[in-house]
Every structure is written in C-alpha cells, then in structure tokens.
C-alpha cells in the first residue's frame, strides 16, 4: 500500500499552468475549514499518513495552518512543510525531495479534489510496473504471457497509445474471460 503523499500547495494559473509562490487556494475556506483540511481528511482516510506539503513561497501560512489543523492531529498524520526555491517545477521538486520520498507515493495538487479510491490507483500503477520496468530507458515491455514473462524485447514508448495497449493487455491477462 502507498503510505506517502506529496502535495504541491502553490497556486497555479489556470491559463498558463505556471505556479505562483502562494498557497491561497489550498488554504481557502470551504465549508468552514481550509480546503487543505478537507484534502488531508480525504487522503488520510486511505491510510496515506506521511505527507509533504511543498511550496516555493513563504512557509509561514502552511506552518500556521498545520498548527491549527484538527484533521492532521485527529488522523495521526505526519505532515511536514518543505520549502523549495521559487520557480522550481514539479520534476525538479521531486528530485529535490530525493531521499525524503518513499519508493511509491501519491502526488497531489493542493488546490484540486481527489475523487478516486487511492487503493485502486495504487493497484493500477502497480499493475503497470512489469510493463514499465524495461531494462532500456524510454522503452516498455509488451505482449505479456500468462506466466508473467514477455514475448519480445522492450519496445519504444513513443505515445500514449502504447500505454493504453499495455493496460488492455494487462486487463486481458488478469481477466481473460471478462467481456469488454
């Protein structure tokens, strides 16, 4: 089971997708509590208890939020605020977190709702592991045999089409008699 989550708390411009070093949306009130409290409650109910709140801005608003958040305390969540330099993109942020990251973790946007069963998402990602664990960077394994081995050498993963095919093949192997 995935037990760690990383939450990017900086606001994102809806037009450009660029992040601003403020956490106003994550901390905006919703039904009497900051949105982030609702997000932590949803994530925490799926047994994801180790959370990193990442910001490229001032950490004081997030620190103040955590000091007053009943949700983190009630659910026993281990929540830490991590400050990164302004302008750090998502990939650079994950690289900077390095050894603080578990082998598997969920990645959340602090101003978006998670409307999914996290256990299902984790199982789906784990199901793709054999396909994506090719020995060649930028390639994927295809044509899985019933015993879990692969028929051919890795293929270039050049499009979303290939990943869609991997999901379909995995589904065929796991549920051979299921109707589509």
């Amino acid at each position: 089971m995935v037990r760690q989550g990383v939450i990017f708390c900086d606001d994102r411009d809806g037009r450009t997708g660029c992040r601003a070093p403020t956490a106003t949306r994550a901390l905006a009130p919703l039904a009497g509590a900051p949105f982030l409290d609702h997000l932590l409650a949803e994530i925490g109910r799926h047994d994801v208890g180790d959370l990193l709140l990442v910001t490229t801005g001032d950490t004081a608003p997030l620190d103040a939020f955590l000091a007053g958040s009943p949700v983190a305390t009630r659910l026993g969540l281990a929540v830490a605020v991590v400050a990164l330099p302004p302008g750090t993109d998502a990939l650079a942020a994950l690289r900077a977190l390095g050894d603080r990251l578990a082998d598997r973790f969920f990645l959340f946007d602090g101003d978006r709702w998670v409307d999914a069963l996290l256990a299902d998402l984790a199982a789906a990602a784990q199901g793709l592991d054999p396909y994506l664990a090719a020995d060649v960077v930028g390639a994927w394994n295809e044509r899985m045999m019933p015993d879990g081995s692969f028929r051919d050498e890795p293929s270039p993963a050049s499009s979303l089409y290939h990943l869609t095919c991997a999901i379909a093949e995995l589904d065929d192997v796991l549920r051979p008699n299921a109707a589509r």
Side-chain angles (χ1 to χ4, degrees):
M1 179 65 185
V2 179
R3 303 267 184 234
Q4 186 180 50
V6 175
I7 304 174
F8 289 131
C9 293
D10 292 345
D11 291 342
R12 184 179 7 200
D13 182 295
R15 185 178 56 80
T16 65
C18 296
R19 294 196 168 278
T22 59
T24 53
R25 290 184 186 156
L27 298 175
L30 176 68
F35 175 77
L36 199 49
D37 254 347
H38 297 282
L39 189 59
L40 291 180
E42 179 64 16
I43 294 168
R45 90 180 174 92
H46 293 284
D47 294 328
V48 178
D50 176 20
L51 297 163
L52 299 173
L53 304 181
V54 179
T55 184
T56 59
D58 182 13
T59 62
L62 290 171
D63 290 331
F65 158 76
L66 280 179
S69 172
V71 172
T73 304
R74 185 179 78 241
L75 295 177
L77 303 176
V79 185
V81 177
V82 179
L84 297 175
T88 304
D89 65 22
L91 183 58
L94 294 176
R95 284 187 181 133
L97 293 173
D99 60 351
R100 294 185 74 169
L101 294 177
D103 288 341
R104 293 184 175 278
F105 59 91
F106 289 113
L107 185 59
F108 302 100
D109 205 341
D111 60 2
R112 304 282 191 272
W113 185 249
V114 178
D115 191 18
L117 291 175
L118 298 182
D120 290 348
L121 292 176
Q126 192 166 0
L128 286 175
D129 276 353
Y131 290 95
L132 301 176
D135 295 333
V136 179
V137 175
W140 68 288
N141 295 314
E142 63 178 337
R143 297 189 183 111
M144 182 186 273
M145 305 300 292
D147 67 357
S149 64
F150 292 93
R151 204 167 31 192
D152 298 321
E153 63 185 51
S155 300
S158 59
S159 69
L160 182 59
Y161 169 77
H162 291 110
L163 292 175
T164 304
C165 290
I167 293 168
E169 285 197 39
L170 177 64
D171 191 48
D172 288 346
V173 169
L174 296 178
R175 298 185 304 151
N177 298 324
R180 287 195 187 177

